[in-house]
Structures are given as C-alpha cells and as structure tokens.
Amino acid sequence: MEFRDEIYASISRVLEDEGLTVSRAEKASEVAAKASGTSRDIVLINEAMPDESGWLISSKLHLSKTQRRLWMYTANHMYRVQEWKKLAGVECVISYGGDLVRLVRALQAQIKRERQFQQEKIALNAVHTAIHEAFSNNAAGVSALVSRFAG
C-alpha cells in the first residue's frame, strides 16, 4: 500500500524481481478489498498514509481475521514498536529513515530471510513426517531414520 508513485515504482520493481505479484492500494479504503480479493500472502503497508495510519489499517486487517501476513515500512523509527506490532498483527516493521535505497535493500533482505525461513520450515516438516512414519511403523524404522539423518 503506497500512495507515492516513485516509491511504489521502486518497491514494486523489487518485489516483481523477486518473483512476487504486486497490486497497489493508494488509499486506506482500498486495502481491505485488495487484501481479501486477491491471493496475496503479504500486505506491505506504508505507516504514514495520508488518509489513515498504517497501524490503523493493519489493525483493521488483523481484526478482520485476514489470513494475510502484514509487513509495514516507516521512514521514522517508532517508539514501542514491539507493542504496536503485536496489537496490529504486523509481522515485521522496516524502518528506512526516508532513504529509498535503504528501503529497497531492507525489503530484499526481508524477502531473503522469509524464503530461508520457508525452506527451513519445509525441511523440518519433512523430518517430522519421517519421524512420525518411523515410530508408526516399528523399531526398525527408527533405526533406519537415525542412520538416515545421522549421516
């Protein structure tokens, strides 16, 4: 969600270069429809929208039980950001100090961390499934499992 054309252009280019699909909401009133009417996984919100606070927008999305993950970016470091994140259901806040290059780099780094997390989650699920199958089958399965992951 970004109302400034130059910022939106930079952000959308970064996200599209990462293989993500982007849609834009320029006003707070457009966010709910965009978030619920698409298959977006992440809603990226500017904390300083002209018509409504990004925290209020994210709180509304959070209270509506949207299954979207909420990320926010802000030019200013916020006081008590951890409390606000929890209240508004925001997963991460990127503070970029008003420097567009810094914002772009921070988004790239966050996306990279997110992809690593998802890969680790898939690997842990595979280990969990293998352990469950081994214990379900028998002790021989446990031995096979131990040798599989020990090597």
Side-chain angles (χ1 to χ4, degrees), residues 27-44:
K27 298 177 184 172
S29 60
E30 300 170 351
V31 176
K34 293 272 185 172
S36 63
T38 64
S39 62
R40 308 291 181 255
D41 292 325
I42 298 170
V43 178
L44 180 62

Side-chain angles (χ1 to χ4, degrees), residues 61-76:
L61 290 171
H62 180 63
L63 290 172
S64 71
K65 304 288 186 201
T66 182
Q67 296 301 311
R68 308 297 184 256
R69 294 171 44 227
L70 306 174
W71 291 4
M72 186 175 296
Y73 58 100
T74 179
N76 304 310

Side-chain angles (χ1 to χ4, degrees), residues 65-137:
K65 304 288 186 201
T66 182
Q67 296 301 311
R68 308 297 184 256
R69 294 171 44 227
L70 306 174
W71 291 4
M72 186 175 296
Y73 58 100
T74 179
N76 304 310
H77 179 72
M78 295 194 51
Y79 176 71
R80 301 182 68 133
V81 72
Q82 294 304 319
E83 290 88 352
W84 278 104
K85 282 173 57 177
K86 185 176 181 179
L87 177 69
V90 173
E91 184 177 305
C92 82
V93 175
I94 298 168
S95 181
Y96 69 100
D99 182 346
L100 183 56
V101 172
R102 188 171 166 189
L103 174 59
V104 166
R105 287 183 181 149
L107 277 171
Q108 290 169 327
Q110 183 63 33
I111 292 167
K112 183 179 180 180
R113 282 190 297 274
E114 178 63 26
R115 288 200 168 132
Q116 289 173 338
F117 173 75
Q118 292 301 326
Q119 290 172 346
E120 291 170 4
K121 188 175 172 181
I122 290 168
L124 285 173
N125 284 338
V127 170
H128 179 265
T129 300
I131 290 170
H132 179 71
E133 289 173 357
F135 279 103
S136 295
N137 291 332

